Amino acid sequence: MKIDNKYLPIFISVALGLGVVLGGLLNAPNQSQFFAKNSSKNKLNKLIDFIDDEYVDNINTDSIVSLTVDNILAKLDPHSVYIPPSEQAEVVESMKGDFVGIGVNFYMYNDSVAIIKPVENGPSAKAGIKAGDRILYADKTKLFGRKLPNDSLFSKLKGSVGSEIELTLYRKSERKKIKLKVKRDVIPLKSVDISMLLKNNTGYIKINRFAETTYGEFKTGLDALKKQGAKSLIIDLRDNGGGYMEEAIAIADELLKDKQLIVFTKNKKGNIDKTFATERGSFESGNVFVLINENSASASEILAGAIQDNDRGTIVGRRSFGKGLVQREMDFEDGSAVRLTIARYYTPTGRSIQKPYSKGNDAYFKESDTRFVNGELYEKDSIKVSESLKFKTKKGKIVYGGGGIVPDVFVPLEVEHGNETTAYLLQSGVVGHFVFEQLDKNRSVFNGLTFQQFTAKMDETDLYFNAFQKYIFDNGLDLKFGKSKSLAKRYLAAEFARQLYGEKFYYEIALKEDAMIKAVLNQK
């Protein structure tokens, strides 16, 4: 069944909204709390026990409890949520910043586990596994010809540090089966995708989420950029749904002077907790630019707000998501958890950037759809802000609360109004799968090419663009790129570069004509 193109932005925005929930739920450190004893709680416990002991049929009371918790939290706010054990384990792993495994990027392609690329210097790469290999067996467990869910695959490939697994592979390029033994090791889950020097001594750091290791990764990248001569810094927070508040604060501390206010929180009792910068900042004087868009949320907004309100730098892009709530986690013995909103946070000028949620969770997450309709993603004048929520920085700049961070320099979507699907599609996993399948057909056409030769080859041909157009049509999306052809070719070339040469080369191509990067460089 084909998806009507006009509805796809809605599906995409809902999916991204869910990403904001998971990314933004971790604004406070994990802490265990206990429910106070009261008559309502006793009533609930008695009812569950009564059903468990006396109900005529066998009932899984765990599912009843989960449903009850969901219903209770649905009456609160969109970010107070129950996380079942399976999802909680994934979130904890992602935010921890590493896991133990064999170190491969893969996906199920034609009912086989296809290796997109081994993690650089990871166990699989050291053992000799190559991009394009298929994993047929993990020890004696058959992996091909079965529709295995990702969690089952991960469980087969994960294990303890130093444990060994024998993989039976099919190497298509050599048309043969091979067996390799791989020793599992700690695999980092990077929250900083790249740090690199652009022209004009401008450093660039891309942060995809705020996990336990984010500040350390950021500081390593910043120190390296300073050694390379960076005098200005771009921090890219586009599509960053948030994470640990403390990591965003630590990064802000590197950029702000001693005793400048970073953020403050206020709980139901009116207690205010202020967090200030310390003396440790290592980049307190160079130009700072923060890139945001409609999917930048939570901890991303804390960092952007601290920079904007302290007149420390320039916010570039489009209005951010608008999440100004702080959660605390309560873990349960079965591995599930509840994350409950315990406070609101405010930027240094005193503004709350939390958007309204009084109309319910569905309306809250679908608010992003209105930005497509009202033209906000194309014209700054279309951003609706309340004059009653106007604030001033110390230097007199006007900033607004009530629904996200409004950028100082507005940059519209790089596609024409009505073709928003293109922009999101080109940065989705669809492109990665398409590129893998193209390489899988004939990887040898790129053998021996330098990066410069590769870019020239991609510039001069429409072969892959035309193939991609057919690919998405065959997969149920009737989408014409039209004026966005050059944008599509850029992202296709960038993904080919990532899979052939590595992450750095993806960004070298993707950022070359990036509208927000151009806006920054034009500011200087």
Side-chain angles (χ1 to χ4, degrees), residues 296-317:
S296 305
S298 191
S300 292
E301 294 170 302
I302 289 175
L303 177 54
I307 297 303
Q308 189 176 52
D309 284 13
N310 282 293
D311 297 301
R312 175 64 186 90
T314 305
I315 310 302
V316 178

Side-chain angles (χ1 to χ4, degrees), residues 42-75:
N42 291 336
K43 184 187 293 184
L44 184 60
N45 286 341
K46 286 181 179 180
L47 174 60
I48 296 299
D49 288 342
F50 190 35
I51 293 171
D52 206 19
D53 294 338
E54 302 291 344
Y55 187 65
V56 64
D57 296 323
N58 290 325
I59 291 292
N60 181 356
T61 51
D62 287 345
S63 64
I64 296 176
V65 171
S66 296
L67 183 61
T68 303
V69 173
D70 279 334
N71 288 335
I72 291 171
L73 295 174
K75 303 296 183 183

Side-chain angles (χ1 to χ4, degrees), residues 46-299:
K46 286 181 179 180
L47 174 60
I48 296 299
D49 288 342
F50 190 35
I51 293 171
D52 206 19
D53 294 338
E54 302 291 344
Y55 187 65
V56 64
D57 296 323
N58 290 325
I59 291 292
N60 181 356
T61 51
D62 287 345
S63 64
I64 296 176
V65 171
S66 296
L67 183 61
T68 303
V69 173
D70 279 334
N71 288 335
I72 291 171
L73 295 174
K75 303 296 183 183
L76 304 180
D77 67 88
H79 299 286
S80 290
V81 295
Y82 170 72
I83 309 294
S86 58
E87 294 178 24
Q88 172 68 352
E90 291 180 15
V91 173
V92 168
E93 182 178 89
S94 173
M95 302 310 292
K96 183 174 180 290
D98 61 50
F99 68 97
V100 177
I102 66 171
V104 290
N105 295 316
F106 68 88
Y107 84 113
M108 290 300 296
Y109 176 47
N110 291 340
D111 291 340
S112 66
V113 182
I115 305 299
I116 297 175
K117 193 175 181 65
V119 174
E120 188 175 356
N121 295 321
S124 290
K126 292 176 181 177
I129 294 176
K130 298 180 179 180
D133 287 351
R134 268 56 164 187
I135 304 179
L136 304 180
Y137 292 89
D139 288 327
K140 295 183 179 181
T141 301
K142 179 181 176 182
L143 301 183
F144 67 96
R146 306 168 61 189
K147 292 186 177 180
L148 292 173
N150 276 348
D151 54 355
S152 295
L153 286 172
F154 282 125
S155 67
K156 298 295 182 186
L157 301 178
K158 290 180 180 178
S160 58
V161 174
S163 63
E164 196 170 66
I165 184 172
E166 182 178 72
L167 300 179
T168 303
L169 308 170
Y170 176 71
R171 181 157 295 164
K172 185 177 178 181
S173 60
E174 300 175 15
R175 296 184 179 180
K176 68 177 183 180
K177 292 181 182 179
I178 57 176
K179 288 188 177 183
L180 293 173
K181 289 186 177 181
V182 183
K183 276 191 175 181
R184 298 181 180 93
D185 204 347
V186 175
I187 309 299
L189 291 171
K190 293 184 178 181
S191 53
V192 172
D193 289 336
I194 196 74
S195 59
M196 59 190 294
L197 193 67
L198 306 178
K199 63 181 181 180
N200 300 337
N201 293 325
T202 300
Y204 171 86
I205 299 179
K206 169 66 176 175
I207 305 175
N208 63 58
R209 70 191 186 285
F210 290 90
E212 288 183 12
T213 58
T214 303
Y215 167 69
E217 293 177 47
F218 173 86
K219 186 64 165 61
T220 298
L222 178 61
D223 290 346
L225 289 171
K226 287 171 61 181
K227 288 180 181 178
Q228 295 173 53
K231 303 299 181 184
S232 298
L233 179 64
I234 299 172
I235 303 175
D236 192 343
L237 301 180
R238 286 176 288 184
D239 301 313
N240 183 328
Y244 289 127
M245 183 178 185
E246 291 74 17
E247 299 296 305
I249 289 171
I251 291 172
D253 196 1
E254 291 296 329
L255 310 172
L256 297 173
K257 295 185 183 300
D258 186 29
K259 297 181 181 179
Q260 285 187 299
L261 182 60
I262 296 174
V263 67
F264 67 91
T265 61
K266 184 187 293 185
N267 66 13
K268 68 185 297 182
K269 297 178 181 178
N271 296 332
I272 294 175
D273 184 13
K274 294 184 177 182
T275 302
F276 295 90
T278 66
E279 297 178 348
R280 74 178 186 192
S282 62
F283 198 83
E284 295 180 352
S285 58
N287 293 329
V288 173
F289 302 87
V290 179
L291 310 186
I292 60 172
N293 66 7
E294 54 279 3
N295 301 310
S296 305
S298 191

Side-chain angles (χ1 to χ4, degrees), residues 468-486:
F468 184 60
Q469 180 77 75
K470 183 177 184 302
Y471 178 82
I472 60 173
F473 181 81
D474 291 345
N475 281 276
L477 180 59
D478 188 8
L479 173 67
K480 301 294 183 183
F481 289 101
K483 295 179 181 179
S484 303
K485 177 180 176 180
S486 60

